[in-house]
Amino acid sequence: MSLPTTLRFNVDYHLSQGWYINGGAQISMVSNSSSKPYNTAYYNGFSLTPRFEGRGFGFYVPVAYNQLSKLAAGVGLRFGPLFLGTGSGLTALLGTSKQADAYVGLRIGGLHKKVRATTQPKN
């Protein structure tokens, strides 16, 4: 038996005012060979999520691919602190997807504000 091991990457890039893109990958470091039938199996997966983030509203469209459920696409919304969406709802409604999910959440806390740099008097 091997330890369940994956290598994960996640990049979030600010394109322009309010627009972002997120990319991620999960790569299994353990082979799923028949010589080790009790290994925990992790599937390779990749995702790309364009999104718009405003102060009171957010919108995003996650698109993902993995070896088990193949292509999955969804949609998400944020209204103030409340967010809701699905990671695979679009493909579940429009195709023969093997996956469906939904989520609802409440964000507690505030947005980070930039602190202005002040000049200190020299002694």
Side-chain angles (χ1 to χ4, degrees):
M1 181 169 222
S2 300
L3 290 175
T5 307
T6 59
L7 182 61
R8 293 180 183 229
F9 295 99
N10 193 20
V11 175
D12 197 52
Y13 186 73
H14 181 219
L15 297 170
S16 65
Q17 189 173 11
W19 290 97
Y20 299 84
I21 191 157
N22 180 278
Q26 174 179 310
I27 301 166
S28 177
M29 303 303 286
V30 178
S31 68
N32 297 332
S33 68
S34 60
S35 65
K36 296 183 179 180
Y38 299 110
N39 272 356
T40 301
Y42 286 98
Y43 294 96
N44 296 327
F46 306 94
S47 67
L48 189 65
T49 306
R51 75 179 192 276
F52 174 79
E53 287 287 337
R55 182 162 283 291
F57 173 76
F59 175 76
Y60 44 98
V61 180
V63 178
Y65 177 85
N66 67 53
Q67 292 172 310
L68 180 63
S69 61
K70 306 298 182 207
L71 184 66
V75 64
L77 297 169
R78 179 183 58 81
F79 300 102
L82 177 68
F83 58 92
L84 56 109
T86 175
S88 60
L90 291 178
T91 50
L93 289 174
L94 302 175
T96 58
S97 176
K98 299 175 186 174
Q99 172 181 340
D101 62 77
Y103 55 86
V104 176
L106 184 63
R107 179 181 177 177
I108 299 173
L111 296 174
H112 174 71
K113 292 183 181 181
K114 291 184 180 181
V115 178
R116 272 207 248 164
T118 59
T119 57
Q120 298 292 326
K122 293 183 180 182
N123 292 332

mmCIF file with all atom_site columns, all heavy atoms in Angstrom, residues 41-52:
data_model
loop_
_atom_site.group_PDB
_atom_site.id
_atom_site.type_symbol
_atom_site.label_atom_id
_atom_site.label_alt_id
_atom_site.label_comp_id
_atom_site.label_asym_id
_atom_site.label_entity_id
_atom_site.label_seq_id
_atom_site.pdbx_PDB_ins_code
_atom_site.Cartn_x
_atom_site.Cartn_y
_atom_site.Cartn_z
_atom_site.occupancy
_atom_site.B_iso_or_equiv
_atom_site.pdbx_formal_charge
_atom_site.auth_seq_id
_atom_site.auth_comp_id
_atom_site.auth_asym_id
_atom_site.auth_atom_id
_atom_site.pdbx_PDB_model_num
ATOM 1   N N   . ALA A 1 41 ? -7.236  5.780  -4.557  1.00 0.00 ? 41 ALA A N   1
ATOM 2   C CA  . ALA A 1 41 ? -7.108  6.305  -5.924  1.00 0.00 ? 41 ALA A CA  1
ATOM 3   C C   . ALA A 1 41 ? -7.502  7.772  -5.964  1.00 0.00 ? 41 ALA A C   1
ATOM 4   O O   . ALA A 1 41 ? -8.595  8.141  -5.556  1.00 0.00 ? 41 ALA A O   1
ATOM 5   C CB  . ALA A 1 41 ? -7.984  5.503  -6.868  1.00 0.00 ? 41 ALA A CB  1
ATOM 6   N N   . TYR A 1 42 ? -6.612  8.606  -6.441  1.00 0.00 ? 42 TYR A N   1
ATOM 7   C CA  . TYR A 1 42 ? -6.899  10.006 -6.696  1.00 0.00 ? 42 TYR A CA  1
ATOM 8   C C   . TYR A 1 42 ? -6.830  10.229 -8.192  1.00 0.00 ? 42 TYR A C   1
ATOM 9   O O   . TYR A 1 42 ? -5.957  9.701  -8.864  1.00 0.00 ? 42 TYR A O   1
ATOM 10  C CB  . TYR A 1 42 ? -5.893  10.925 -5.990  1.00 0.00 ? 42 TYR A CB  1
ATOM 11  C CG  . TYR A 1 42 ? -6.117  11.009 -4.510  1.00 0.00 ? 42 TYR A CG  1
ATOM 12  C CD1 . TYR A 1 42 ? -5.376  10.247 -3.632  1.00 0.00 ? 42 TYR A CD1 1
ATOM 13  C CD2 . TYR A 1 42 ? -7.084  11.852 -3.998  1.00 0.00 ? 42 TYR A CD2 1
ATOM 14  C CE1 . TYR A 1 42 ? -5.586  10.315 -2.268  1.00 0.00 ? 42 TYR A CE1 1
ATOM 15  C CE2 . TYR A 1 42 ? -7.309  11.930 -2.637  1.00 0.00 ? 42 TYR A CE2 1
ATOM 16  C CZ  . TYR A 1 42 ? -6.551  11.162 -1.781  1.00 0.00 ? 42 TYR A CZ  1
ATOM 17  O OH  . TYR A 1 42 ? -6.767  11.232 -0.440  1.00 0.00 ? 42 TYR A OH  1
ATOM 18  N N   . TYR A 1 43 ? -7.739  10.988 -8.701  1.00 0.00 ? 43 TYR A N   1
ATOM 19  C CA  . TYR A 1 43 ? -7.796  11.252 -10.128 1.00 0.00 ? 43 TYR A CA  1
ATOM 20  C C   . TYR A 1 43 ? -7.153  12.582 -10.443 1.00 0.00 ? 43 TYR A C   1
ATOM 21  O O   . TYR A 1 43 ? -7.265  13.526 -9.670  1.00 0.00 ? 43 TYR A O   1
ATOM 22  C CB  . TYR A 1 43 ? -9.248  11.240 -10.612 1.00 0.00 ? 43 TYR A CB  1
ATOM 23  C CG  . TYR A 1 43 ? -9.873  9.883  -10.497 1.00 0.00 ? 43 TYR A CG  1
ATOM 24  C CD1 . TYR A 1 43 ? -10.651 9.541  -9.404  1.00 0.00 ? 43 TYR A CD1 1
ATOM 25  C CD2 . TYR A 1 43 ? -9.664  8.934  -11.488 1.00 0.00 ? 43 TYR A CD2 1
ATOM 26  C CE1 . TYR A 1 43 ? -11.207 8.288  -9.306  1.00 0.00 ? 43 TYR A CE1 1
ATOM 27  C CE2 . TYR A 1 43 ? -10.212 7.675  -11.395 1.00 0.00 ? 43 TYR A CE2 1
ATOM 28  C CZ  . TYR A 1 43 ? -10.985 7.353  -10.300 1.00 0.00 ? 43 TYR A CZ  1
ATOM 29  O OH  . TYR A 1 43 ? -11.521 6.112  -10.208 1.00 0.00 ? 43 TYR A OH  1
ATOM 30  N N   . ASN A 1 44 ? -6.500  12.654 -11.584 1.00 0.00 ? 44 ASN A N   1
ATOM 31  C CA  . ASN A 1 44 ? -5.941  13.920 -12.046 1.00 0.00 ? 44 ASN A CA  1
ATOM 32  C C   . ASN A 1 44 ? -7.082  14.838 -12.450 1.00 0.00 ? 44 ASN A C   1
ATOM 33  O O   . ASN A 1 44 ? -8.071  14.396 -13.029 1.00 0.00 ? 44 ASN A O   1
ATOM 34  C CB  . ASN A 1 44 ? -5.023  13.687 -13.246 1.00 0.00 ? 44 ASN A CB  1
ATOM 35  C CG  . ASN A 1 44 ? -3.820  12.845 -12.875 1.00 0.00 ? 44 ASN A CG  1
ATOM 36  O OD1 . ASN A 1 44 ? -3.312  12.923 -11.764 1.00 0.00 ? 44 ASN A OD1 1
ATOM 37  N ND2 . ASN A 1 44 ? -3.355  12.042 -13.802 1.00 0.00 ? 44 ASN A ND2 1
ATOM 38  N N   . GLY A 1 45 ? -6.943  16.109 -12.126 1.00 0.00 ? 45 GLY A N   1
ATOM 39  C CA  . GLY A 1 45 ? -7.983  17.065 -12.472 1.00 0.00 ? 45 GLY A CA  1
ATOM 40  C C   . GLY A 1 45 ? -7.418  18.447 -12.708 1.00 0.00 ? 45 GLY A C   1
ATOM 41  O O   . GLY A 1 45 ? -6.372  18.815 -12.152 1.00 0.00 ? 45 GLY A O   1
ATOM 42  N N   . PHE A 1 46 ? -8.104  19.215 -13.555 1.00 0.00 ? 46 PHE A N   1
ATOM 43  C CA  . PHE A 1 46 ? -7.676  20.559 -13.911 1.00 0.00 ? 46 PHE A CA  1
ATOM 44  C C   . PHE A 1 46 ? -8.897  21.471 -13.921 1.00 0.00 ? 46 PHE A C   1
ATOM 45  O O   . PHE A 1 46 ? -9.983  21.034 -14.286 1.00 0.00 ? 46 PHE A O   1
ATOM 46  C CB  . PHE A 1 46 ? -7.022  20.559 -15.304 1.00 0.00 ? 46 PHE A CB  1
ATOM 47  C CG  . PHE A 1 46 ? -5.911  19.553 -15.410 1.00 0.00 ? 46 PHE A CG  1
ATOM 48  C CD1 . PHE A 1 46 ? -6.159  18.290 -15.890 1.00 0.00 ? 46 PHE A CD1 1
ATOM 49  C CD2 . PHE A 1 46 ? -4.636  19.875 -14.983 1.00 0.00 ? 46 PHE A CD2 1
ATOM 50  C CE1 . PHE A 1 46 ? -5.144  17.343 -15.955 1.00 0.00 ? 46 PHE A CE1 1
ATOM 51  C CE2 . PHE A 1 46 ? -3.619  18.945 -15.051 1.00 0.00 ? 46 PHE A CE2 1
ATOM 52  C CZ  . PHE A 1 46 ? -3.876  17.677 -15.540 1.00 0.00 ? 46 PHE A CZ  1
ATOM 53  N N   . SER A 1 47 ? -8.729  22.727 -13.522 1.00 0.00 ? 47 SER A N   1
ATOM 54  C CA  . SER A 1 47 ? -9.865  23.656 -13.507 1.00 0.00 ? 47 SER A CA  1
ATOM 55  C C   . SER A 1 47 ? -9.433  25.045 -13.956 1.00 0.00 ? 47 SER A C   1
ATOM 56  O O   . SER A 1 47 ? -8.279  25.435 -13.786 1.00 0.00 ? 47 SER A O   1
ATOM 57  C CB  . SER A 1 47 ? -10.478 23.738 -12.106 1.00 0.00 ? 47 SER A CB  1
ATOM 58  O OG  . SER A 1 47 ? -9.568  24.344 -11.215 1.00 0.00 ? 47 SER A OG  1
ATOM 59  N N   . LEU A 1 48 ? -10.388 25.767 -14.513 1.00 0.00 ? 48 LEU A N   1
ATOM 60  C CA  . LEU A 1 48 ? -10.198 27.149 -14.943 1.00 0.00 ? 48 LEU A CA  1
ATOM 61  C C   . LEU A 1 48 ? -11.481 27.907 -14.597 1.00 0.00 ? 48 LEU A C   1
ATOM 62  O O   . LEU A 1 48 ? -12.572 27.479 -14.975 1.00 0.00 ? 48 LEU A O   1
ATOM 63  C CB  . LEU A 1 48 ? -9.940  27.204 -16.452 1.00 0.00 ? 48 LEU A CB  1
ATOM 64  C CG  . LEU A 1 48 ? -9.513  28.537 -17.025 1.00 0.00 ? 48 LEU A CG  1
ATOM 65  C CD1 . LEU A 1 48 ? -8.148  28.943 -16.471 1.00 0.00 ? 48 LEU A CD1 1
ATOM 66  C CD2 . LEU A 1 48 ? -9.450  28.445 -18.527 1.00 0.00 ? 48 LEU A CD2 1
ATOM 67  N N   . THR A 1 49 ? -11.346 29.007 -13.840 1.00 0.00 ? 49 THR A N   1
ATOM 68  C CA  . THR A 1 49 ? -12.525 29.738 -13.378 1.00 0.00 ? 49 THR A CA  1
ATOM 69  C C   . THR A 1 49 ? -12.371 31.238 -13.616 1.00 0.00 ? 49 THR A C   1
ATOM 70  O O   . THR A 1 49 ? -11.683 31.919 -12.863 1.00 0.00 ? 49 THR A O   1
ATOM 71  C CB  . THR A 1 49 ? -12.767 29.494 -11.873 1.00 0.00 ? 49 THR A CB  1
ATOM 72  O OG1 . THR A 1 49 ? -12.825 28.102 -11.630 1.00 0.00 ? 49 THR A OG1 1
ATOM 73  C CG2 . THR A 1 49 ? -14.048 30.156 -11.406 1.00 0.00 ? 49 THR A CG2 1
ATOM 74  N N   . PRO A 1 50 ? -13.000 31.769 -14.663 1.00 0.00 ? 50 PRO A N   1
ATOM 75  C CA  . PRO A 1 50 ? -13.046 33.223 -14.805 1.00 0.00 ? 50 PRO A CA  1
ATOM 76  C C   . PRO A 1 50 ? -14.096 33.784 -13.847 1.00 0.00 ? 50 PRO A C   1
ATOM 77  O O   . PRO A 1 50 ? -15.122 33.142 -13.599 1.00 0.00 ? 50 PRO A O   1
ATOM 78  C CB  . PRO A 1 50 ? -13.454 33.430 -16.262 1.00 0.00 ? 50 PRO A CB  1
ATOM 79  C CG  . PRO A 1 50 ? -14.118 32.169 -16.666 1.00 0.00 ? 50 PRO A CG  1
ATOM 80  C CD  . PRO A 1 50 ? -13.579 31.079 -15.802 1.00 0.00 ? 50 PRO A CD  1
ATOM 81  N N   . ARG A 1 51 ? -13.826 34.981 -13.303 1.00 0.00 ? 51 ARG A N   1
ATOM 82  C CA  . ARG A 1 51 ? -14.803 35.554 -12.365 1.00 0.00 ? 51 ARG A CA  1
ATOM 83  C C   . ARG A 1 51 ? -14.722 37.072 -12.343 1.00 0.00 ? 51 ARG A C   1
ATOM 84  O O   . ARG A 1 51 ? -13.712 37.659 -12.689 1.00 0.00 ? 51 ARG A O   1
ATOM 85  C CB  . ARG A 1 51 ? -14.617 34.987 -10.970 1.00 0.00 ? 51 ARG A CB  1
ATOM 86  C CG  . ARG A 1 51 ? -13.444 35.508 -10.215 1.00 0.00 ? 51 ARG A CG  1
ATOM 87  C CD  . ARG A 1 51 ? -13.355 34.884 -8.816  1.00 0.00 ? 51 ARG A CD  1
ATOM 88  N NE  . ARG A 1 51 ? -12.417 35.566 -7.989  1.00 0.00 ? 51 ARG A NE  1
ATOM 89  C CZ  . ARG A 1 51 ? -11.114 35.349 -7.964  1.00 0.00 ? 51 ARG A CZ  1
ATOM 90  N NH1 . ARG A 1 51 ? -10.587 34.449 -8.755  1.00 0.00 ? 51 ARG A NH1 1
ATOM 91  N NH2 . ARG A 1 51 ? -10.325 36.031 -7.164  1.00 0.00 ? 51 ARG A NH2 1
ATOM 92  N N   . PHE A 1 52 ? -15.845 37.667 -11.935 1.00 0.00 ? 52 PHE A N   1
ATOM 93  C CA  . PHE A 1 52 ? -15.927 39.099 -11.692 1.00 0.00 ? 52 PHE A CA  1
ATOM 94  C C   . PHE A 1 52 ? -16.209 39.289 -10.210 1.00 0.00 ? 52 PHE A C   1
ATOM 95  O O   . PHE A 1 52 ? -17.109 38.655 -9.660  1.00 0.00 ? 52 PHE A O   1
ATOM 96  C CB  . PHE A 1 52 ? -17.046 39.747 -12.514 1.00 0.00 ? 52 PHE A CB  1
ATOM 97  C CG  . PHE A 1 52 ? -17.236 41.194 -12.159 1.00 0.00 ? 52 PHE A CG  1
ATOM 98  C CD1 . PHE A 1 52 ? -16.370 42.150 -12.657 1.00 0.00 ? 52 PHE A CD1 1
ATOM 99  C CD2 . PHE A 1 52 ? -18.249 41.575 -11.307 1.00 0.00 ? 52 PHE A CD2 1
ATOM 100 C CE1 . PHE A 1 52 ? -16.524 43.486 -12.304 1.00 0.00 ? 52 PHE A CE1 1
ATOM 101 C CE2 . PHE A 1 52 ? -18.409 42.898 -10.947 1.00 0.00 ? 52 PHE A CE2 1
ATOM 102 C CZ  . PHE A 1 52 ? -17.540 43.851 -11.454 1.00 0.00 ? 52 PHE A CZ  1
#
